[in-house]
PDB file of all heavy atoms in Angstrom:
ATOM      1  N   ILE A  71     110.321  33.658 108.893  1.00  0.00           N
ATOM      2  CA  ILE A  71     109.999  34.155 110.231  1.00  0.00           C
ATOM      3  C   ILE A  71     110.675  35.531 110.373  1.00  0.00           C
ATOM      4  O   ILE A  71     111.887  35.605 110.413  1.00  0.00           O
ATOM      5  CB  ILE A  71     110.495  33.206 111.315  1.00  0.00           C
ATOM      6  CG1 ILE A  71     109.986  31.773 111.065  1.00  0.00           C
ATOM      7  CG2 ILE A  71     110.107  33.716 112.704  1.00  0.00           C
ATOM      8  CD1 ILE A  71     108.496  31.645 111.091  1.00  0.00           C
ATOM      9  N   ALA A  73     110.760  37.803 112.792  1.00  0.00           N
ATOM     10  CA  ALA A  73     111.455  37.989 114.047  1.00  0.00           C
ATOM     11  C   ALA A  73     111.526  36.654 114.743  1.00  0.00           C
ATOM     12  O   ALA A  73     110.481  36.149 115.245  1.00  0.00           O
ATOM     13  CB  ALA A  73     110.767  39.045 114.928  1.00  0.00           C
ATOM     14  N   VAL A 130     101.923  27.486 111.581  1.00  0.00           N
ATOM     15  CA  VAL A 130     102.035  26.833 112.875  1.00  0.00           C
ATOM     16  C   VAL A 130     102.953  25.614 112.726  1.00  0.00           C
ATOM     17  O   VAL A 130     103.010  24.980 111.687  1.00  0.00           O
ATOM     18  CB  VAL A 130     100.672  26.397 113.414  1.00  0.00           C
ATOM     19  CG1 VAL A 130     100.055  25.269 112.572  1.00  0.00           C
ATOM     20  CG2 VAL A 130     100.731  25.967 114.860  1.00  0.00           C
ATOM     21  N   GLN A 133     104.545  19.723 116.894  1.00  0.00           N
ATOM     22  CA  GLN A 133     105.658  18.890 117.399  1.00  0.00           C
ATOM     23  C   GLN A 133     105.236  17.489 117.669  1.00  0.00           C
ATOM     24  O   GLN A 133     104.210  17.231 118.276  1.00  0.00           O
ATOM     25  CB  GLN A 133     106.225  19.483 118.659  1.00  0.00           C
ATOM     26  CG  GLN A 133     107.541  18.789 119.032  1.00  0.00           C
ATOM     27  CD  GLN A 133     108.128  19.207 120.359  1.00  0.00           C
ATOM     28  OE1 GLN A 133     107.553  18.879 121.437  1.00  0.00           O
ATOM     29  NE2 GLN A 133     109.260  19.898 120.348  1.00  0.00           N
ATOM     30  N   ALA A 146     103.526  12.532 110.952  1.00  0.00           N
ATOM     31  CA  ALA A 146     103.916  13.774 110.299  1.00  0.00           C
ATOM     32  C   ALA A 146     103.038  14.082 109.104  1.00  0.00           C
ATOM     33  O   ALA A 146     102.575  15.193 108.875  1.00  0.00           O
ATOM     34  CB  ALA A 146     105.394  13.708 109.886  1.00  0.00           C
ATOM     35  N   ASN A 149      99.635  15.321 110.195  1.00  0.00           N
ATOM     36  CA  ASN A 149      99.693  16.718 110.643  1.00  0.00           C
ATOM     37  C   ASN A 149      99.846  17.646 109.451  1.00  0.00           C
ATOM     38  O   ASN A 149      99.290  18.768 109.447  1.00  0.00           O
ATOM     39  CB  ASN A 149     100.755  16.926 111.654  1.00  0.00           C
ATOM     40  CG  ASN A 149     100.325  16.583 113.064  1.00  0.00           C
ATOM     41  OD1 ASN A 149      99.175  16.848 113.441  1.00  0.00           O
ATOM     42  ND2 ASN A 149     101.201  15.994 113.875  1.00  0.00           N
ATOM     43  N   ASN A 160     110.646  16.099 118.403  1.00  0.00           N
ATOM     44  CA  ASN A 160     111.084  16.260 119.758  1.00  0.00           C
ATOM     45  C   ASN A 160     112.156  15.268 120.126  1.00  0.00           C
ATOM     46  O   ASN A 160     111.908  14.038 120.145  1.00  0.00           O
ATOM     47  CB  ASN A 160     109.906  16.145 120.743  1.00  0.00           C
ATOM     48  CG  ASN A 160     110.362  16.397 122.217  1.00  0.00           C
ATOM     49  OD1 ASN A 160     111.274  15.757 122.699  1.00  0.00           O
ATOM     50  ND2 ASN A 160     109.646  17.297 122.851  1.00  0.00           N
ATOM     51  N   VAL A 169     110.919   9.371 128.045  1.00  0.00           N
ATOM     52  CA  VAL A 169     112.294   8.759 127.911  1.00  0.00           C
ATOM     53  C   VAL A 169     112.220   7.221 128.036  1.00  0.00           C
ATOM     54  O   VAL A 169     112.905   6.490 127.296  1.00  0.00           O
ATOM     55  CB  VAL A 169     113.240   9.375 128.944  1.00  0.00           C
ATOM     56  CG1 VAL A 169     114.536   8.568 129.015  1.00  0.00           C
ATOM     57  CG2 VAL A 169     113.546  10.817 128.583  1.00  0.00           C
ATOM     58  N   LEU A 183     119.126   5.442 115.591  1.00  0.00           N
ATOM     59  CA  LEU A 183     117.633   5.494 115.579  1.00  0.00           C
ATOM     60  C   LEU A 183     117.179   6.963 115.376  1.00  0.00           C
ATOM     61  O   LEU A 183     116.223   7.195 114.605  1.00  0.00           O
ATOM     62  CB  LEU A 183     117.063   4.951 116.883  1.00  0.00           C
ATOM     63  CG  LEU A 183     115.542   5.033 117.048  1.00  0.00           C
ATOM     64  CD1 LEU A 183     114.833   4.289 115.897  1.00  0.00           C
ATOM     65  CD2 LEU A 183     115.130   4.496 118.382  1.00  0.00           C
ATOM     66  N   VAL A 197     106.343  19.752 103.735  1.00  0.00           N
ATOM     67  CA  VAL A 197     106.647  20.914 104.574  1.00  0.00           C
ATOM     68  C   VAL A 197     108.009  20.729 105.268  1.00  0.00           C
ATOM     69  O   VAL A 197     108.497  19.597 105.384  1.00  0.00           O
ATOM     70  CB  VAL A 197     105.521  21.140 105.629  1.00  0.00           C
ATOM     71  CG1 VAL A 197     104.228  21.422 104.950  1.00  0.00           C
ATOM     72  CG2 VAL A 197     105.466  19.973 106.593  1.00  0.00           C
ATOM     73  N   THR A 230     116.733  23.644 117.309  1.00  0.00           N
ATOM     74  CA  THR A 230     116.639  24.353 118.556  1.00  0.00           C
ATOM     75  C   THR A 230     117.292  23.533 119.637  1.00  0.00           C
ATOM     76  O   THR A 230     117.146  22.329 119.720  1.00  0.00           O
ATOM     77  CB  THR A 230     115.119  24.563 118.982  1.00  0.00           C
ATOM     78  OG1 THR A 230     114.485  25.292 117.959  1.00  0.00           O
ATOM     79  CG2 THR A 230     115.002  25.276 120.296  1.00  0.00           C
ATOM     80  N   THR A 274     121.472  38.218 126.425  1.00  0.00           N
ATOM     81  CA  THR A 274     122.638  37.461 126.840  1.00  0.00           C
ATOM     82  C   THR A 274     122.703  36.148 126.088  1.00  0.00           C
ATOM     83  O   THR A 274     123.776  35.702 125.656  1.00  0.00           O
ATOM     84  CB  THR A 274     122.645  37.236 128.348  1.00  0.00           C
ATOM     85  OG1 THR A 274     122.521  38.532 129.007  1.00  0.00           O
ATOM     86  CG2 THR A 274     123.915  36.567 128.819  1.00  0.00           C
ATOM     87  N   LEU A 304     113.917  43.588 119.740  1.00  0.00           N
ATOM     88  CA  LEU A 304     114.829  43.191 118.676  1.00  0.00           C
ATOM     89  C   LEU A 304     114.721  44.078 117.438  1.00  0.00           C
ATOM     90  O   LEU A 304     115.669  44.386 116.784  1.00  0.00           O
ATOM     91  CB  LEU A 304     114.638  41.726 118.312  1.00  0.00           C
ATOM     92  CG  LEU A 304     115.097  40.651 119.299  1.00  0.00           C
ATOM     93  CD1 LEU A 304     114.646  39.287 118.838  1.00  0.00           C
ATOM     94  CD2 LEU A 304     116.657  40.689 119.397  1.00  0.00           C
ATOM     95  N   VAL A 321      92.886  39.633 129.616  1.00  0.00           N
ATOM     96  CA  VAL A 321      93.554  38.465 129.029  1.00  0.00           C
ATOM     97  C   VAL A 321      93.223  37.204 129.787  1.00  0.00           C
ATOM     98  O   VAL A 321      92.945  36.132 129.257  1.00  0.00           O
ATOM     99  CB  VAL A 321      95.068  38.711 128.980  1.00  0.00           C
ATOM    100  CG1 VAL A 321      95.821  37.397 128.641  1.00  0.00           C
ATOM    101  CG2 VAL A 321      95.401  39.758 127.935  1.00  0.00           C
ATOM    102  N   ASN A 364      91.658  27.248 143.844  1.00  0.00           N
ATOM    103  CA  ASN A 364      91.965  25.844 143.401  1.00  0.00           C
ATOM    104  C   ASN A 364      91.054  24.823 144.025  1.00  0.00           C
ATOM    105  O   ASN A 364      90.986  23.683 143.575  1.00  0.00           O
ATOM    106  CB  ASN A 364      93.418  25.515 143.706  1.00  0.00           C
ATOM    107  CG  ASN A 364      94.366  26.300 142.851  1.00  0.00           C
ATOM    108  OD1 ASN A 364      94.017  26.834 141.816  1.00  0.00           O
ATOM    109  ND2 ASN A 364      95.639  26.382 143.275  1.00  0.00           N
ATOM    110  N   ALA A 367      85.163  24.005 142.742  1.00  0.00           N
ATOM    111  CA  ALA A 367      84.900  23.096 141.667  1.00  0.00           C
ATOM    112  C   ALA A 367      83.980  23.680 140.578  1.00  0.00           C
ATOM    113  O   ALA A 367      84.041  23.248 139.414  1.00  0.00           O
ATOM    114  CB  ALA A 367      84.267  21.818 142.189  1.00  0.00           C
ATOM    115  N   ASP A 368      83.186  24.661 140.937  1.00  0.00           N
ATOM    116  CA  ASP A 368      82.238  25.251 139.959  1.00  0.00           C
ATOM    117  C   ASP A 368      82.898  26.331 139.159  1.00  0.00           C
ATOM    118  O   ASP A 368      83.359  27.343 139.721  1.00  0.00           O
ATOM    119  CB  ASP A 368      81.007  25.800 140.734  1.00  0.00           C
ATOM    120  CG  ASP A 368      79.984  26.342 139.743  1.00  0.00           C
ATOM    121  OD1 ASP A 368      79.198  25.523 139.244  1.00  0.00           O
ATOM    122  OD2 ASP A 368      79.998  27.572 139.499  1.00  0.00           O
TER     123      ASP A 368
END
Side-chain angles (χ1 to χ4, degrees):
I71 307 299
V130 69
Q133 190 186 70
N149 275 323
N160 183 307
V169 168
L183 177 57
V197 298
T230 300
T274 305
L304 286 171
V321 167
N364 290 343
D368 183 83

